[in-house]
Amino acid sequence: MSKLPLKEKSGYGIGAFGTEMISTTVSSYLMVFMTGVLGIPAAAAGTMFLVAKIWDAINDPIMGTIADRTRTRWGSYRPYVLFGCIPQSIFFVLCFTIPGFLTTPVSKLVWAYVIYICYGMANTVINVPTGALNNVMTTDGNERASLATFKNVGASAAGLISGVIAMPIIMYFGKGEVNAQGYLGFAIVCAAVSIVSYLFMFATSKERMKPFEKKTSIRDGFRSFKGSKPDFALMIGFIVCGIAIPFRGMWTAYYCLYYLKLPMLISSLSFVVNLVPLVISPLLLGVMKRFGKKNALLGCFIAQVFSGVLFLLAGANVPLLMIASAISGLGKAAMTVTFAAVPDVCDYNEYKNHIRTPGFAYTAVMFCFKLGTGLVSYFCGMLLMMVGFVEGQETQSAATCYGIYWMNGVIPIVFSVIAILAVIFLYNLNNKRTAEIEAELKIRRAEAEKNQ
C-alpha cells in the first residue's frame, strides 16, 4: 500500500493534540483540584478514580465491539470522532465545575463520582475508535508506525503547551490565585481546542481497510487474544505508561506546591517532560525500523527507571530536577512505541486465531492504560493519606513533604522495572516476524475478498 498523505498523518496527530489537551489536564490537575479546591479527602478522591476505571473495564470492551460492528458511509470508527468530541468536552469542563448546591462533603463526593464517570464514558466513546483508526487507515507496518509517531508528536506538543500555559491561564482566570474560577477557565479553553482538533482529524482521515462481512462479538474479541503473549506484554506496558506518565504530571504539582513551594516551577518541569518526546518521537521511527519495537520499548522503560533515580538524587536541586524531567520525557516516548505496536499485535492475533477485532484490541490496551491512570490516582490518594496530607491546607508538615519527595522517584522505578520484565519475556515479535505475518495476511484477505 502506498504511503499515506502528509495531510492525513498530520490530521491524526492534530486529533491526538486535542486528546492530550484534555487528558493532560485531567491527569495533572484534577486530583489537585478535587483535594485542594473542591475539598474531597485524598483517599476518597483516589478511590473514586479507581472505581471509575473499574467501570471502564465493563464499558470499554463494549465500545470496542460496537465500533467494530459499525457500518456507515464514513466508516466504522470515524463517526465516533465526529459525534463524540462535544459530549466528552462538556463532561470534562464539568469535572472542574463547583455548582452552588455542593454544600456538604457528601454532595461534593457524589458530584465528583457522577461527573467523572460520565467523563470517562464519553472519553471511551471517542478515544477507542480514534485509536483503532491506525489499524484501518493502512495495512503497511511502517506507515502505522509513522501514524503512531505523528500521534505522539501531537500528544507531546499538547502536553508541552499545556504545561507551559496551564498555570498562567489558571492564575489569569483566577485573578492572580490558583482557585476554582481559574481551573474552570483553563478547562473551557482546553475543551474548545479539543473539539476543533477532533473535527480536523475527522475531515482528513480515511478508512481504507474494509471490515469483514461477518460482524464480530465481544466473545470474538476475547478469542482473538488466545495464546497471544505480545498482547499481554503490551497490556502491562500500557498499565505502566498509565501510571508513570500521569504520575509525573500529578506528582510534580504536589512536589512543587508543597515540597519546593515553587508553584511556577510546575510549568517549567512540565515543559521539559513534554519537550523531549516531542523532539525524539520522529527519531523513534528510525529506531523502530532498525532495531525493532521491542528494543525501542526497553530503551524507553529503562530511561524511566533512570529518571526515578535522578529525582531521588535531585531533592530541591532545580537544575538536576530539570535533567531528571528530561530523562522522564524520554521514557514518556514509550507511548509512541506501544501505540505503534498495537496494529502489529492485532495482525498477529488475526494471523494466529483468524479473528480481526482492531476496535476490541485497542480497547484492551486502552483499558490497561486507563487502569494505570486509575491506579496511580488511587495510589496517590493512599500515599497522600499515609504521609499525612491535609486537604485544603496550604502548608503541609515536614514529614508530609518528605513523603512527597520520596514517592517522586520510587513509583516510576518500581513500575518501569515490571514493564521491562514483561517486554523481555512476553513480547516475541520482531521486524522480520511482523513482515512475514503482514505478507501472509495480504494473501488471506485477497482470497476472502474474492469469496465475498
Side-chain angles (χ1 to χ4, degrees):
M1 182 174 286
S2 60
K3 288 189 176 182
L4 294 175
L6 179 60
K7 181 180 179 180
E8 197 164 347
K9 292 181 181 179
S10 300
Y12 195 70
I14 289 172
F17 182 94
T19 299
E20 192 67 18
M21 283 297 291
I22 284 182
S23 62
T24 295
T25 303
V26 169
S27 63
S28 297
Y29 295 104
L30 188 55
M31 184 75 168
V32 178
F33 172 81
M34 289 188 170
T35 57
V37 181
L38 187 57
I40 295 176
T47 301
M48 180 204 69
F49 282 111
L50 183 61
V51 169
K53 299 310 174 185
I54 292 174
W55 170 240
D56 279 343
I58 299 172
N59 66 64
D60 271 19
I62 296 173
M63 186 62 233
T65 301
I66 290 173
D68 284 336
R69 293 170 63 87
T70 299
R71 305 287 187 269
T72 73
R73 62 189 178 93
W74 293 315
S76 297
Y77 308 100
R78 290 174 64 239
Y80 296 99
V81 178
L82 176 63
F83 296 110
C85 58
I86 292 179
Q88 176 189 239
S89 293
I90 290 173
F91 285 114
F92 163 71
V93 171
L94 288 175
C95 285
F96 290 92
T97 302
I98 306 179
F101 58 79
L102 300 183
T103 57
T104 65
V106 172
S107 65
K108 291 178 180 179
L109 188 59
V110 170
W111 168 264
Y113 263 91
V114 172
I115 293 304
Y116 184 67
I117 288 175
C118 287
Y119 159 75
M121 293 175 66
N123 179 268
T124 294
V125 168
I126 187 169
N127 280 347
V128 168
T130 298
L133 268 177
N134 186 319
N135 206 271
V136 296
M137 289 170 68
T138 176
T139 58
D140 185 275
N142 290 330
E143 287 300 282
R144 287 171 172 175
S146 181
L147 278 173
T149 300
F150 273 83
K151 179 184 178 74
N152 203 52
V153 167
S156 298
L160 179 68
I161 294 172
S162 176
V164 172
I165 68 174
M167 197 52 63
I169 291 180
I170 289 170
M171 296 187 74
Y172 170 78
F173 283 107
K175 298 181 179 179
E177 297 180 2
V178 180
N179 55 27
Q181 185 177 343
Y183 279 112
L184 178 59
F186 181 59
I188 292 173
V189 171
C190 291
V193 171
S194 178
I195 290 172
V196 173
S197 300
Y198 278 123
L199 293 178
F200 188 82
M201 181 187 200
F202 170 81
T204 56
S205 59
K206 182 179 180 181
E207 296 185 25
R208 292 174 175 80
M209 186 179 296
K210 295 180 180 180
F212 287 168
E213 191 70 23
K214 178 187 175 183
K215 293 184 178 181
T216 56
S217 64
I218 293 179
R219 183 184 177 189
D220 290 328
F222 283 109
R223 285 175 56 215
S224 70
F225 287 4
K226 183 179 178 181
S228 179
K229 289 183 179 180
D231 254 323
F232 293 110
L234 283 193
M235 287 179 183
I236 294 172
F238 268 96
I239 290 174
V240 170
C241 287
I243 291 173
I245 294 173
F247 178 86
R248 178 52 46 222
M250 186 186 302
W251 209 256
T252 292
Y254 283 102
Y255 196 81
C256 293
L257 287 171
Y258 300 107
Y259 181 76
L260 297 177
K261 295 179 174 59
L262 297 172
M264 294 307 293
L265 188 61
I266 298 173
S267 296
S268 300
L269 295 180
S270 297
F271 177 85
V272 173
V273 167
N274 289 286
L275 176 62
V276 173
L278 177 63
V279 173
I280 71 165
S281 285
L283 302 178
L284 272 178
L285 184 58
V287 173
M288 286 186 283
K289 285 182 179 179
R290 181 169 182 178
F291 300 104
K293 297 181 179 72
K294 179 174 183 174
N295 290 327
L297 269 177
L298 287 174
C300 290
F301 287 129
I302 290 171
Q304 200 66 266
V305 171
F306 186 47
S307 76
V309 174
L310 288 181
F311 276 118
L312 291 176
L313 294 175
N317 186 322
V318 175
L320 191 53
L321 282 172
M322 289 288 188
I323 296 173
S325 296
I327 302 298
S328 181
L330 183 62
K332 186 177 179 180
M335 288 300 288
T336 296
V337 188
T338 47
F339 275 117
V342 171
D344 291 349
V345 173
C346 188
D347 282 353
Y348 175 82
N349 294 347
E350 181 184 350
Y351 170 81
K352 184 179 179 64
N353 297 313
H354 296 267
I355 303 172
R356 180 173 183 78
T357 55
F360 190 91
Y362 187 78
T363 291
V365 293
M366 278 311 297
F367 162 68
C368 291
F369 183 76
K370 289 181 178 181
L371 177 62
T373 61
L375 286 172
V376 73
S377 299
Y378 178 77
F379 287 153
C380 285
M382 293 298 106
L383 290 171
L384 288 171
M385 181 182 68
M386 288 170 57
V387 300
F389 181 84
V390 180
E391 297 79 18
Q393 184 171 299
E394 187 174 343
T395 302
Q396 302 292 327
S397 69
T400 298
C401 294
Y402 183 73
I404 290 173
Y405 149 76
W406 187 249
M407 290 303 108
N408 197 44
V410 169
I411 296 299
I413 293 173
V414 170
F415 286 98
S416 295
V417 168
I418 293 172
I420 290 170
L421 295 175
V423 173
I424 290 175
F425 292 108
L426 295 177
Y427 196 84
N428 55 7
L429 296 177
N430 54 35
N431 288 350
K432 180 181 179 181
R433 182 60 174 152
T434 53
E436 291 172 351
I437 291 172
E438 182 183 332
E440 172 63 23
L441 289 179
K442 283 182 179 179
I443 296 173
R444 289 188 192 177
R445 291 164 186 162
E447 291 177 352
E449 287 186 8
K450 290 179 181 179
N451 296 329
Q452 285 181 3

